[in-house]
Amino acid sequence: MTGAPDFSRLTFPQGFRAAAMAAGIKQSGNPDLSCVVSDHGCAWAFAGTRSTTAAACVTRNRELYAGGAPLRALMVNAGVANAATGQKGARDNLDMADALASVLAVGEQEVITASTGIIGHLLPMDRVLSGAEHLPEELGDAALPFAAAIMTTDTRPKLAQAVLSNGARIVGTAKGSGMIHPDMATMFAFAFTDAAVEQTALREAFPGIVARTFNAVTVDGDTSTNDMAAVLANGAAGETDLTEFLTALESVMRDLARQIAADGEGASRLLTVRVTGAASEAEALAAARTCCVSPLLKSAVHGADPNWGRVIMAVGRSGAQVDVEKLKVSVQGVPVFAAGPLNYDAAAVSQSMKTDEVVFDVDLGVGTAQGEAWGCDLSAEYVSINADYTT
Amino acid sequence: MTGAPDFSRLTFPQGFRAAAMAAGIKQSGNPDLSCVVSDHGCAWAFAGTRSTTAAACVTRNRELYAGGAPLRALMVNAGVANAATGQKGARDNLDMADALASVLAVGEQEVITASTGIIGHLLPMDRVLSGAEHLPEELGDAALPFAAAIMTTDTRPKLAQAVLSNGARIVGTAKGSGMIHPDMATMFAFAFTDAAVEQTALREAFPGIVARTFNAVTVDGDTSTNDMAAVLANGAAGETDLTEFLTALESVMRDLARQIAADGEGASRLLTVRVTGAASEAEALAAARTCCVSPLLKSAVHGADPNWGRVIMAVGRSGAQVDVEKLKVSVQGVPVFAAGPLNYDAAAVSQSMKTDEVVFDVDLGVGTAQGEAWGCDLSAEYVSINADYTT
C-alpha cells in the first residue's frame, strides 16, 4: 500500500539495545528470538488481552505489572504462542525469562516476555534456552532486526518514531497481520523511550491511548490469546513535558495501529471509520470498530461500493446511542445519508474508493464525543488463504 | 444441502389463516405483502433486535407487547425494511397496521407488523395501503405462500411443524439468508399454535427459547435493525401440557434456526458448535456463537480443515470461563485436543468434514452447563456476491 518511510537506519532511543537471532523455533529458519534491553530500570505500562485463554506470557506480565517494579528487558519469541499450554507452558515461560535474566545479570522479575505463533503447542525449550544464552552477544542499536524477528504472517516490519522537543525519542514497533491469522496469536505493540516519565502518570494515560489506537484495529473481531501492548521509559534523555510525551506516544501507537490494519492478509485497502456526535468516547469507538469488523461493510469496501445501509446496520448493533433524525454518513468526504438517503453520484464515489484508504465519516447526532477505528477490506483471496491452511 | 421435508400441503393450525400477494414493493414483482390472521385473540410472546437503530415495526411491537393485550393479526412486508426512517417511518408503520385492522374490523393495537428489505428507504405507502385493502381476499389455510412472501435473499422458504399429543399443532416459519445480507434487515421467526397456552407462562419461557434457537444463529455477527421472533397462540385446540408445548416450540424454533444457518449466501456447509462443561448456559452459548461467527473458523470449515487452534482462540475471546488443563475439542466426533494436541488422522478428519454439516464439540472443563450454536462456512463466492452489490 502506501510507501512506508525507510526505517533501515532507525536506532532505539538512548540506553536501549536490541538483539535478534534465528533460534530454530520457526520452521522457516527466519529470526524468531529477540530482546530489547535497557541500561537503566524502566518505568512501564502494559495492556494484555481480555481472552479467558490468555497465554502464559500475558498472565505473568500482568502479575509483574501489579508488582510495579522497574523493567530491564523485553524478550520475544515468534513461531510458538505458548497459549493453551497449562502449567507446563507457565513454567517454560518463566524459564525463558530467567535464562535471559541470568545472562544479563538482572532479576527474572525485571524481564517481561511475549510469545507469538501457533496456539496449543509447547515451546521447544532446548532451542529457546540455548538461544537466550547467546542472544546478548547480538545486542546493538538498530531497530529493524528486532521489528523483523517478532513477525509471523506479517508481510513487512512495522516501525514508527516520534522526536520530542528536548531531543528524547519514542520508537515503537508492532506485529500482526491486520486480518485473519491462521492460529497466529496475534498482535504486539511495543514502544521504547528515553524520555523520563513518571510511572504513575504513564499507567494512568496508557489504557486510554491503547483504546484509541491498538484496540481500535479490528483485525477480524477475534481477540487473540497473546495480544499485548507495552511502553518502556528509561529516562536516559531526561525530563519531558508530560502532555507533549503522551501526545507523541499516542501518535506512534496510532501509526502502528494503521500499519497493522493496512497489512491484512489479502487486503488491498485500509478502512478508516471516524465517528462523531457520540454520547461518549467509548460509544464512538464501539460504533467505529463495529463498522470496521463487519464482513458486510468490508466486502463493500473491497467492491468500492458506497453502501451506507451497512454502516447504519453496524452502528445500530454496536450499542451506541443514535438519533436517526440527525444521523449522517459520508464516504470519501461525500455526504450520502442525512436523516435519509441523499442524491449523489454513485459512480464517482465508487471510483474515489478505488484507492489505498477508504474513509467513512459517521455523525451519530447525539453528543460531542468522537472516535476512529481501522480495518481493511475483505477479499476472496483471504478466504482462500485461510481455507487452505494446514491440511 | 439436506433435503427439506415437503411443506407444499402444510396448513396453519386451527383458527389461523394467511394471505400473500405481490403489492409491487419488491422490484422483482415477487409476493411481498402478507398476513396471518387468527379468528380468536392470541396469547403471544415477542423478542426484538437489540439494535439502537431498531426499525419502526420493532419499536411499535415492543410497545404493544408491554400493553399485553391479545393479538388478532401479524402483517409483513418484504422489500423495504422501514429502518432508519425516523418519525415518517413510524407513522407509515402505524398506517400499515391500521389499514389491515380496518379491513379485518379489529383494533389497530391487535395487529403487529414486520418489515424486511432495504434499510433507510421509506415504504411505498400507496402500494402498501391498496395492498392491505385487498389482502384479506386471499386468506386461506396454506402455510407456504406466507413463508415465501416474507423472503428477501433467501433461496428457499423455511417452515417447521410440531404436533402435540392432544392434536394441537405448532407451525413455524422464518426468513433470513444465514450469511451476509446486502442491506437486508434480516431475520424473522414466527410460530403459530392452536394450543391454549397461558400468556404469562409463554412470555416467561420465550426469552430462553429464543436465546437457545433464533439467537444461536450467528449469521455474520451483525444484528439487524429488524430482527424479531414471535409466537401466537389462539387456543383453538384447547388445553395443552405446558412442558410438552414448550419443548415442542423449542424444537420448531431450533429447526428454523438451523434452516436459516444452512441457507447462507455462498454457504456449502452448516457449522454446528456444541459446548459442554460451561459455568452457565449463557457462557456456553457465548462460546458456541463466537466460534460460529469467527471468519477464521468459518474459512477452515470451508476448506475442511480441522483447525482446533481457531476454536481455542474463539472460545477464549468469548469471555467464557475455560480450564485449559481440562479443555477438550472434537471435530466430527474425533478428539483432536485434550489439554494439549492429540495425534489424529488429519487427512481422514478433513475428508469427514466434506459434507453438509460440520460439528465441533468443545468441553470447557469448568461446570455442567451446555449450549449449541449454528453458522455456515465462509466462501470466496460470498465475498464476490457482497462486494459487487448495488453500484
PDB file of all heavy atoms in Angstrom, chain A residues 42 61 66-67 73 89 99 138 143 160 226 229 285 294-295 374:
ATOM      1  N   CYS A  42      13.338   0.730  33.841  1.00  0.00           N
ATOM      2  CA  CYS A  42      12.332   1.495  33.097  1.00  0.00           C
ATOM      3  C   CYS A  42      11.019   1.612  33.850  1.00  0.00           C
ATOM      4  O   CYS A  42      10.518   0.605  34.377  1.00  0.00           O
ATOM      5  CB  CYS A  42      12.021   0.808  31.770  1.00  0.00           C
ATOM      6  SG  CYS A  42      13.389   0.763  30.623  1.00  0.00           S
ATOM      7  N   ASN A  61       3.187 -11.320  32.751  1.00  0.00           N
ATOM      8  CA  ASN A  61       3.430  -9.873  32.638  1.00  0.00           C
ATOM      9  C   ASN A  61       2.455  -9.074  33.497  1.00  0.00           C
ATOM     10  O   ASN A  61       2.799  -8.058  34.083  1.00  0.00           O
ATOM     11  CB  ASN A  61       3.301  -9.413  31.179  1.00  0.00           C
ATOM     12  CG  ASN A  61       4.404  -9.971  30.294  1.00  0.00           C
ATOM     13  OD1 ASN A  61       5.364 -10.577  30.795  1.00  0.00           O
ATOM     14  ND2 ASN A  61       4.269  -9.784  28.996  1.00  0.00           N
ATOM     15  N   ALA A  66       1.413  -5.668  38.206  1.00  0.00           N
ATOM     16  CA  ALA A  66       0.790  -5.380  39.509  1.00  0.00           C
ATOM     17  C   ALA A  66       1.869  -5.091  40.550  1.00  0.00           C
ATOM     18  O   ALA A  66       1.681  -4.255  41.439  1.00  0.00           O
ATOM     19  CB  ALA A  66      -0.089  -6.551  39.937  1.00  0.00           C
ATOM     20  N   GLY A  67       3.020  -5.767  40.446  1.00  0.00           N
ATOM     21  CA  GLY A  67       4.139  -5.523  41.358  1.00  0.00           C
ATOM     22  C   GLY A  67       4.692  -4.107  41.210  1.00  0.00           C
ATOM     23  O   GLY A  67       5.023  -3.454  42.195  1.00  0.00           O
ATOM     24  N   ALA A  73      14.241  -5.535  30.681  1.00  0.00           N
ATOM     25  CA  ALA A  73      14.261  -6.166  29.358  1.00  0.00           C
ATOM     26  C   ALA A  73      12.914  -6.726  28.950  1.00  0.00           C
ATOM     27  O   ALA A  73      12.073  -7.067  29.792  1.00  0.00           O
ATOM     28  CB  ALA A  73      15.301  -7.279  29.326  1.00  0.00           C
ATOM     29  N   GLY A  89       3.347 -24.820  30.250  1.00  0.00           N
ATOM     30  CA  GLY A  89       3.582 -23.595  29.489  1.00  0.00           C
ATOM     31  C   GLY A  89       3.992 -22.445  30.392  1.00  0.00           C
ATOM     32  O   GLY A  89       4.876 -21.646  30.043  1.00  0.00           O
ATOM     33  N   ALA A  99      16.295 -17.378  31.888  1.00  0.00           N
ATOM     34  CA  ALA A  99      17.518 -17.630  31.117  1.00  0.00           C
ATOM     35  C   ALA A  99      18.143 -16.319  30.644  1.00  0.00           C
ATOM     36  O   ALA A  99      19.365 -16.115  30.767  1.00  0.00           O
ATOM     37  CB  ALA A  99      17.204 -18.540  29.924  1.00  0.00           C
ATOM     38  N   GLU A 138      24.432 -10.460  20.452  1.00  0.00           N
ATOM     39  CA  GLU A 138      23.993  -9.753  19.250  1.00  0.00           C
ATOM     40  C   GLU A 138      23.528  -8.325  19.524  1.00  0.00           C
ATOM     41  O   GLU A 138      23.069  -7.632  18.617  1.00  0.00           O
ATOM     42  CB  GLU A 138      22.814 -10.502  18.593  1.00  0.00           C
ATOM     43  CG  GLU A 138      23.004 -11.996  18.399  1.00  0.00           C
ATOM     44  CD  GLU A 138      24.100 -12.303  17.383  1.00  0.00           C
ATOM     45  OE1 GLU A 138      24.240 -11.499  16.434  1.00  0.00           O
ATOM     46  OE2 GLU A 138      24.820 -13.297  17.560  1.00  0.00           O
ATOM     47  N   ALA A 143      16.934  -0.858  15.113  1.00  0.00           N
ATOM     48  CA  ALA A 143      15.570  -1.251  15.479  1.00  0.00           C
ATOM     49  C   ALA A 143      15.005  -2.302  14.527  1.00  0.00           C
ATOM     50  O   ALA A 143      14.185  -3.134  14.930  1.00  0.00           O
ATOM     51  CB  ALA A 143      14.656  -0.025  15.492  1.00  0.00           C
ATOM     52  N   ALA A 160       7.584   2.942  13.998  1.00  0.00           N
ATOM     53  CA  ALA A 160       7.173   4.341  13.991  1.00  0.00           C
ATOM     54  C   ALA A 160       8.021   5.085  15.013  1.00  0.00           C
ATOM     55  O   ALA A 160       8.503   4.500  15.984  1.00  0.00           O
ATOM     56  CB  ALA A 160       5.690   4.465  14.340  1.00  0.00           C
ATOM     57  N   ASN A 226      -2.709 -13.846  22.926  1.00  0.00           N
ATOM     58  CA  ASN A 226      -1.405 -13.283  23.259  1.00  0.00           C
ATOM     59  C   ASN A 226      -1.290 -11.777  23.050  1.00  0.00           C
ATOM     60  O   ASN A 226      -0.229 -11.215  23.281  1.00  0.00           O
ATOM     61  CB  ASN A 226      -0.314 -13.970  22.416  1.00  0.00           C
ATOM     62  CG  ASN A 226      -0.150 -15.435  22.742  1.00  0.00           C
ATOM     63  OD1 ASN A 226      -1.141 -16.157  22.805  1.00  0.00           O
ATOM     64  ND2 ASN A 226       1.086 -15.877  22.943  1.00  0.00           N
ATOM     65  N   ALA A 229       0.240  -4.805  24.562  1.00  0.00           N
ATOM     66  CA  ALA A 229       0.883  -3.542  24.233  1.00  0.00           C
ATOM     67  C   ALA A 229       1.666  -3.100  25.465  1.00  0.00           C
ATOM     68  O   ALA A 229       1.194  -3.282  26.586  1.00  0.00           O
ATOM     69  CB  ALA A 229      -0.153  -2.487  23.867  1.00  0.00           C
ATOM     70  N   LEU A 285     -15.986   4.783  19.787  1.00  0.00           N
ATOM     71  CA  LEU A 285     -15.045   3.734  19.397  1.00  0.00           C
ATOM     72  C   LEU A 285     -15.784   2.433  19.084  1.00  0.00           C
ATOM     73  O   LEU A 285     -15.447   1.718  18.136  1.00  0.00           O
ATOM     74  CB  LEU A 285     -14.010   3.511  20.504  1.00  0.00           C
ATOM     75  CG  LEU A 285     -12.973   4.628  20.650  1.00  0.00           C
ATOM     76  CD1 LEU A 285     -12.173   4.453  21.935  1.00  0.00           C
ATOM     77  CD2 LEU A 285     -12.048   4.656  19.443  1.00  0.00           C
ATOM     78  N   SER A 294     -17.278  -5.446  10.406  1.00  0.00           N
ATOM     79  CA  SER A 294     -18.415  -6.022   9.692  1.00  0.00           C
ATOM     80  C   SER A 294     -17.998  -6.621   8.346  1.00  0.00           C
ATOM     81  O   SER A 294     -17.552  -5.900   7.452  1.00  0.00           O
ATOM     82  CB  SER A 294     -19.474  -4.935   9.458  1.00  0.00           C
ATOM     83  OG  SER A 294     -20.394  -5.371   8.479  1.00  0.00           O
ATOM     84  N   PRO A 295     -18.159  -7.941   8.171  1.00  0.00           N
ATOM     85  CA  PRO A 295     -17.802  -8.565   6.893  1.00  0.00           C
ATOM     86  C   PRO A 295     -18.581  -7.924   5.748  1.00  0.00           C
ATOM     87  O   PRO A 295     -18.097  -7.842   4.620  1.00  0.00           O
ATOM     88  CB  PRO A 295     -18.236 -10.021   7.067  1.00  0.00           C
ATOM     89  CG  PRO A 295     -18.385 -10.248   8.518  1.00  0.00           C
ATOM     90  CD  PRO A 295     -18.691  -8.920   9.137  1.00  0.00           C
ATOM     91  N   TRP A 374      -9.759   1.386  12.590  1.00  0.00           N
ATOM     92  CA  TRP A 374      -9.161   0.983  11.315  1.00  0.00           C
ATOM     93  C   TRP A 374      -9.315  -0.502  11.078  1.00  0.00           C
ATOM     94  O   TRP A 374      -9.183  -1.311  11.993  1.00  0.00           O
ATOM     95  CB  TRP A 374      -7.671   1.341  11.291  1.00  0.00           C
ATOM     96  CG  TRP A 374      -7.430   2.766  11.624  1.00  0.00           C
ATOM     97  CD1 TRP A 374      -7.510   3.828  10.780  1.00  0.00           C
ATOM     98  CD2 TRP A 374      -7.122   3.301  12.918  1.00  0.00           C
ATOM     99  NE1 TRP A 374      -7.266   4.991  11.460  1.00  0.00           N
ATOM    100  CE2 TRP A 374      -7.017   4.701  12.768  1.00  0.00           C
ATOM    101  CE3 TRP A 374      -6.915   2.740  14.176  1.00  0.00           C
ATOM    102  CZ2 TRP A 374      -6.714   5.547  13.832  1.00  0.00           C
ATOM    103  CZ3 TRP A 374      -6.627   3.573  15.243  1.00  0.00           C
ATOM    104  CH2 TRP A 374      -6.526   4.965  15.075  1.00  0.00           C
TER     105      TRP A 374
END
